Amino acid sequence: DMKVTQMPRYLIKRMGENVLLECGQDMSHETMYWYRQDPGLGLQLIYISYDVDSNSEGDIPKGYRVSRKKREHFSLILDSAKTNQTSVYFCASTPTGTGGFGPGTRLTVL
Amino acid sequence: GEQVEQRPPHLSVREGDSAFITCTYTDPNSYYFFWYKQEPGASLQLLMKVFSSTEINEGQGFTVLLNKKDKRLSLNLTAAHPGDSAAYFCAVSDDRGSALGRLHFGAGTQLIVIP
């Protein structure tokens, strides 16, 4: 069964701390995505990765960076987290839903 | 860039009634269209993926209509039941035949089906 995993599922950090969100997929999909979801805004694209070390900014990349060293793993990094980065973060592989979205990480920055 | 507007933001219907949600988009080159369902605290579940060439798409308990002339995508849940209560999101992609597209999402519709 195709699957996208995310760790951790819940995270509480203080402003200024570093945050690492992990995403994995077992389908060897080349393309992976990070989105954030805020009430009333739908999902907004942060970054796309087309393959290992081939990443591209999405619509709201400011304050984020990504790392993809293996095809099956895609990390989202917040250096010095801010309170306005409190959100639910979703990883996806392919945009079409065939790979699907991960379960999400609920991040709270205090 | 692509703008996707979804209406209504909130919708309440009685069990057995229809629920109609509409999205309009701006990019005439948009090619793939999606509807997702999201239950509280859960991830997004793909309801249907629609290709540009298909106007009417039947699913289990719902119909998706695509009007390319008006750049409008609609979801009609026929005979809604309480299990349909969830948030629904449309999404639009401007890439053809590849997995490299970016999804542009509507802001969502919170549907409540009253028993």
Side-chain angles (χ1 to χ4, degrees):
Chain A
D1 194 19
M2 299 181 290
K3 200 171 179 182
V4 178
T5 60
Q6 288 185 239
M7 290 293 289
R9 296 292 314 280
Y10 302 91
L11 187 59
I12 299 175
K13 287 285 192 178
R14 294 197 178 278
M15 192 168 59
E17 291 184 330
N18 297 332
V19 176
L20 174 65
L21 305 184
E22 305 268 25
C23 175
Q25 49 103 355
D26 60 0
M27 299 158 282
S28 295
H29 285 149
E30 293 177 348
T31 308
M32 297 183 73
Y33 307 77
W34 276 106
Y35 291 90
R36 67 176 280 176
Q37 183 179 31
D38 299 295
L41 292 179
L43 274 75
Q44 298 174 275
L45 179 64
I46 305 171
Y47 266 95
I48 299 176
S49 175
Y50 295 110
D51 210 330
V52 171
D53 286 330
S54 179
N55 306 317
S56 180
E57 294 181 346
D59 299 321
I60 54 163
K62 187 177 179 182
Y64 304 94
R65 61 183 175 95
V66 292
S67 175
R68 192 156 178 214
K69 298 301 182 185
K70 293 182 180 180
R71 181 172 283 187
E72 60 269 24
H73 291 132
F74 189 32
S75 301
L76 180 69
I77 300 137
L78 290 67
D79 295 314
S80 187
K82 300 173 181 52
T83 55
N84 62 8
Q85 292 177 308
T86 292
S87 187
V88 181
Y89 291 86
F90 287 99
C91 175
S93 70
T94 82
T96 64
T98 55
F101 284 81
T105 295
R106 185 174 293 275
L107 172 66
T108 301
V109 182
L110 301 175
Chain B
E2 176 80 270
Q3 303 288 327
V4 180
E5 185 171 332
Q6 184 172 341
R7 289 284 183 266
H10 301 278
L11 181 60
S12 291
V13 301
R14 294 206 173 272
E15 185 173 5
D17 288 348
S18 293
F20 196 75
I21 304 170
T22 298
C23 290
T24 55
Y25 59 95
T26 56
D27 187 350
N29 294 317
S30 295
Y31 193 75
Y32 288 107
F33 306 85
F34 306 84
W35 281 103
Y36 289 92
K37 176 183 180 182
Q38 186 181 34
E39 297 181 350
S43 188
L44 279 78
Q45 171 194 352
L46 178 68
L47 285 180
M48 183 168 282
K49 171 185 173 181
V50 177
F51 296 92
S52 177
S53 58
T54 309
E55 293 186 347
I56 300 174
N57 301 266
E58 301 279 351
Q60 194 162 5
F62 61 89
T63 302
V64 171
L65 303 173
L66 175 62
N67 183 327
K68 290 216 74 181
K69 176 175 173 290
D70 295 339
K71 297 196 283 293
R72 188 184 305 273
L73 176 72
S74 301
L75 171 68
N76 185 29
L77 284 81
T78 53
H81 56 86
D84 292 329
S85 296
Y88 291 82
F89 294 91
C90 64
V92 176
S93 173
D94 57 3
D95 281 350
R96 293 179 179 233
S98 83
L100 303 182
R102 300 180 173 203
L103 279 178
H104 303 272
F105 281 85
T109 296
Q110 190 68 47
L111 173 66
I112 296 174
V113 181
I114 303 165

